Amino acid sequence: MSDLGTAGSGAVLRLLLDGQPRTRAELIDLSGLARSTVTGRIEELVAAGLVVPSGEAASTGGRPPARFRFNPAARLILAADVGATHLSVALTNLTGDILDRSTMPLNIAEGPEVVLGAVVRSGRALLKKARRSVNDLAGTGVGLPGPVEHSTGRPNHPPIMPGWDSYDVVERLSRELTGPVLVDNDVNIMALGEHATEYADVEHLLFVKVATGIGAGVISGGRLHRGAQGAAGDIGHIQAPGRTERCRCGNIGCLEAVASAAAIATQLEVQGSRDIVDLVRAGNSIATAAVRQAGREIGTVLAACVSLLNPSVIVVGGSLSQAGDSLLAGIREAIYARSLPLATTDLRVVTSRSGQDAALRGAATLVLQHQLTAN
């Protein structure tokens, strides 16, 4: 059974997701549903293994009422973070907790058949190790390093993904994996993961990924904002003031061409973000200055985002965020210098708490939100 219960049971299941055991009477009060409806939906959820009995509540006279709790181990979610040069795949439970994972180097330019074939093989290997099968999957969530039309799961003119434009990712994975397949931009799922696990009470959040490229995920009103074609948050291709470097997209002066890990690596004549981080941590003054200046360039663009979106938290993640305080200091310097005081009075600019787990947990959140909405 791939769905989280049958149609209509999601309303009752959502009330149990916090892990707090509740009686039928409590669920009736909280949901506003009729007693017969709640009883029927509990029976459905128990039959599906998604809800289990959890002792009895104190009696108020007569037989003590039974309590029920959510069973996050009833199904598994396969989460995949496809980067420009890596693939990470994880199994999570239904609360998004990562149970096991695998990571390998893999170039996105190898094309969809190679990359998605690796997703399936890695997922099957993790399932076998856990002594579970594809029939235990509630669904699969995938993050890709480019714009995605979320309603179809098809990449939409991705600049660094040759052979991927309009490719039917959902159909390819659905051939071999059970349950719905949800696909989104990698920064969007990082924003989802960070928001769900660390900032669930924050309604307006901007997640900025600084790695091979630069992008942002926008949480507005507590919901992920994707835009009309799935391109919302593509700040890497906003022009950095006064810069003339040519970007791989063909334009001049894009933020990504100036301040990404790839741009800094070229400037420092090193391989990539890992080398940059190592140099900064070793106290190399040239690398530290380069990263701080990149932060200023990013912060200048983000200052416009602050005026437009008025977030209360900006979270900086991605591989370059591991370079100590240099990047964050540069970003803060530019934002606070160029934004109006009203927009920055309570603004926090922080490093990601979820780190490398943000994308995987976000991919799992994508599936869980879809299932609960569908039910």
Side-chain angles (χ1 to χ4, degrees):
M1 188 173 183
S2 61
D3 287 337
L4 300 186
T6 58
S9 60
V12 173
L13 183 60
R14 280 191 289 272
L15 295 173
L16 295 169
L17 290 180
D18 61 3
Q20 178 69 36
R22 292 186 171 89
T23 65
R24 286 184 180 87
E26 289 171 330
L27 292 170
I28 291 166
D29 288 341
L30 289 170
S31 67
L33 298 172
R35 176 178 293 277
S36 59
T37 302
V38 170
T39 297
R41 291 178 183 176
I42 288 175
E43 289 175 356
E44 293 169 356
L45 292 167
V46 169
L50 293 163
V51 167
V52 294
S54 182
E56 297 176 333
S59 174
T60 57
R63 184 177 177 180
R67 296 190 300 181
F68 300 89
R69 65 171 177 82
F70 176 52
N71 176 22
R75 298 285 186 278
L76 298 173
I77 294 173
L78 185 62
D81 171 29
V82 182
T85 57
H86 80 276
L87 168 65
S88 293
V89 178
L91 283 181
T92 82
N93 62 17
L94 292 178
T95 56
D97 296 325
I98 295 173
L99 307 176
D100 199 0
R101 76 181 79 200
S102 65
T103 299
M104 67 179 73
L106 187 62
N107 195 324
I108 192 71
E110 293 284 338
E113 282 298 326
V114 172
V115 173
L116 298 178
V119 170
V120 171
R121 288 192 299 274
S122 297
R124 286 184 174 274
L126 290 174
L127 284 166
K128 183 178 180 180
K129 184 179 175 183
R131 298 183 179 180
R132 306 287 286 267
S133 76
V134 291
N135 293 326
D136 292 314
L137 290 178
T140 299
V142 181
L144 296 176
V148 173
E149 186 180 57
H150 179 64
S151 61
T152 65
R154 295 174 184 263
N156 193 354
H157 297 90
I160 64 167
M161 299 169 62
W164 286 81
D165 185 35
S166 296
Y167 185 86
D168 196 343
V169 177
V170 173
E171 190 277 332
R172 170 64 183 88
L173 293 179
S174 295
R175 288 184 222 158
E176 301 184 68
L177 301 172
T178 302
V181 175
L182 286 304
V183 187
D184 210 331
N185 172 269
D186 59 347
V187 189
N188 281 348
I189 65 168
M190 292 177 81
L192 271 180
E194 189 81 20
H195 182 253
T197 59
E198 304 293 341
Y199 296 98
D201 59 335
V202 172
E203 291 215 337
H204 305 284
L205 177 146
L206 195 63
F207 186 99
V208 182
K209 178 185 178 183
V210 188
T212 304
I214 299 175
V218 182
I219 302 291
S220 181
R223 299 172 63 88
L224 181 64
H225 175 71
R226 295 184 174 92
Q229 277 79 41
D234 193 7
I235 64 170
H237 298 287
I238 295 175
Q239 186 174 26
R243 304 303 293 258
T244 59
E245 291 86 341
R246 181 168 293 278
C247 181
R248 56 186 171 179
C249 75
N251 287 329
I252 298 296
C254 291
L255 181 64
E256 191 170 291
V258 172
S260 67
I264 299 171
T266 298
Q267 178 185 341
L268 298 177
E269 299 183 343
V270 297
Q271 291 297 311
S273 58
R274 173 43 53 193
D275 292 338
I276 298 168
V277 170
D278 288 344
L279 284 171
V280 171
R281 288 178 174 176
N284 184 289
S285 60
I286 296 175
T288 300
V291 170
R292 180 146 187 165
Q293 180 56 35
R296 294 188 187 101
E297 301 285 0
I298 295 167
T300 299
V301 170
L302 287 179
C305 297
V306 168
S307 296
L308 183 66
L309 300 171
N310 190 202
S312 54
V313 179
I314 295 177
V315 180
V316 181
S319 55
L320 202 61
S321 69
Q322 300 170 33
D325 294 331
S326 303
L327 183 70
L328 208 61
I331 291 173
R332 286 171 172 159
E333 179 185 331
I335 287 176
Y336 289 113
R338 300 181 66 91
S339 300
L340 292 175
L342 179 62
T344 57
T345 300
D346 299 311
L347 176 66
R348 289 177 283 166
V349 183
V350 297
T351 304
S352 169
R353 296 176 184 172
S354 299
Q356 295 178 342
D357 288 349
L360 293 172
R361 299 198 69 165
T365 300
L366 201 63
V367 173
L368 185 58
Q369 288 182 350
H370 169 82
Q371 289 283 34
L372 292 175
T373 301
N375 292 314

